[in-house]
Each structure stands twice: as C-alpha cells, then as structure tokens.
Amino acid sequence: QVTLVESGGGLVQAGGSLRLSCAASGRSFSNYALGWFRQAPGKEREFVTAISRSGVSIDYIDSVKGRFTISRDNAKNTVSLQMNSLKPEDTAVYYCAAVLSFIPGTFYTDSSDYDYWGQGTQVTVSS
C-alpha cells in the first residue's frame, strides 16, 4: 500500500518554472515505478512522464520533452517533476502515480497500469 501526496503547484507566467514533488508513504518505495499525469478542464487525463523503479528508464510525452524532467529519490521516498519554459497549454491538475514493478528498467505510460494515485495539484500557466 502506498499513499501519494503532491505539492508544488501554483500560478506561473508563461516561460516560468515550477517544481512538483510527490511524497510517498509506505514500504518499499524503490519497488515502484512512478509516473506523472495531467488533466486539463474538459479533457481526458494524459500521460506526461514516467520513471522506472531503478530510475534508469524514463519517458516523456513529446510536448514536454526538453522542458520537463522527472527524478526520484528512493532514500527520501519522493518523485519530482521539474517544469521549465511553461506554456499555457501545460495548465492542468497534475497527478503522480505508482505501480509495483518487478522489472527494474520498466516504466509505464498507460494510466490503467497504475494502482496508486495522489490527489493532484493544480498548475496554472498564464499567457
């Protein structure tokens, strides 16, 4: 069982930066692959980025490549999302998610693969 709590959202102007954090409680955090998803008003939840339990394998949606960076700290039970050069179209509620993974180098991009979700944090980018 894992409980996830996101923080770090807020209002920022286009071109600015935000850093989201997700703190996990529970055992064996290093056994979980992690991901960030987002949901804009009136739209379906979409994959943003994912990281394997080992931290070696990472994937990003094309629209955030070069701007967003995911990282994890297994010692602190946290996963972070550094977001730079933010655009108004990045406005959404951002969720972190976790899934128990038996393959160290595997990440997951489908929301249905994930078993645990945070409550979400709002990111608003003004133009």
Side-chain angles (χ1 to χ4, degrees), residues 68-116:
F68 289 14
T69 303
I70 188 173
S71 60
R72 66 184 296 162
D73 186 335
N74 288 341
K76 295 182 178 180
N77 284 15
T78 59
V79 57
S80 299
L81 180 63
Q82 178 66 43
M83 306 186 294
N84 299 328
S85 302
L86 283 161
K87 304 176 181 180
E89 51 263 42
D90 294 320
T91 295
V93 178
Y94 283 71
Y95 300 89
C96 68
V99 57
L100 188 63
S101 175
F102 297 97
I103 305 173
T106 298
F107 55 78
Y108 302 87
T109 62
D110 192 328
S111 60
S112 65
D113 289 326
Y114 288 86
D115 297 316
Y116 304 100

Side-chain angles (χ1 to χ4, degrees), residues 18-110:
L18 281 175
R19 185 177 180 86
L20 306 184
S21 293
C22 178
S25 62
R27 296 184 296 177
S28 303
F29 177 77
S30 62
N31 289 338
Y32 289 81
L34 305 165
W36 286 94
F37 291 76
R38 65 187 181 187
Q39 187 166 18
K43 295 186 177 181
E44 294 186 352
R45 188 172 300 188
E46 70 170 353
F47 166 77
V48 177
T49 179
I51 188 168
S52 63
R53 54 177 276 190
S54 66
V56 173
S57 299
I58 292 173
D59 192 29
Y60 298 94
I61 192 173
D62 285 346
S63 61
V64 308
K65 285 181 179 177
R67 301 189 297 122
F68 289 14
T69 303
I70 188 173
S71 60
R72 66 184 296 162
D73 186 335
N74 288 341
K76 295 182 178 180
N77 284 15
T78 59
V79 57
S80 299
L81 180 63
Q82 178 66 43
M83 306 186 294
N84 299 328
S85 302
L86 283 161
K87 304 176 181 180
E89 51 263 42
D90 294 320
T91 295
V93 178
Y94 283 71
Y95 300 89
C96 68
V99 57
L100 188 63
S101 175
F102 297 97
I103 305 173
T106 298
F107 55 78
Y108 302 87
T109 62
D110 192 328

Side-chain angles (χ1 to χ4, degrees), residues 5 11 13 18-19 33 42 120:
V5 179
L11 173 64
Q13 289 187 334
L18 281 175
R19 185 177 180 86

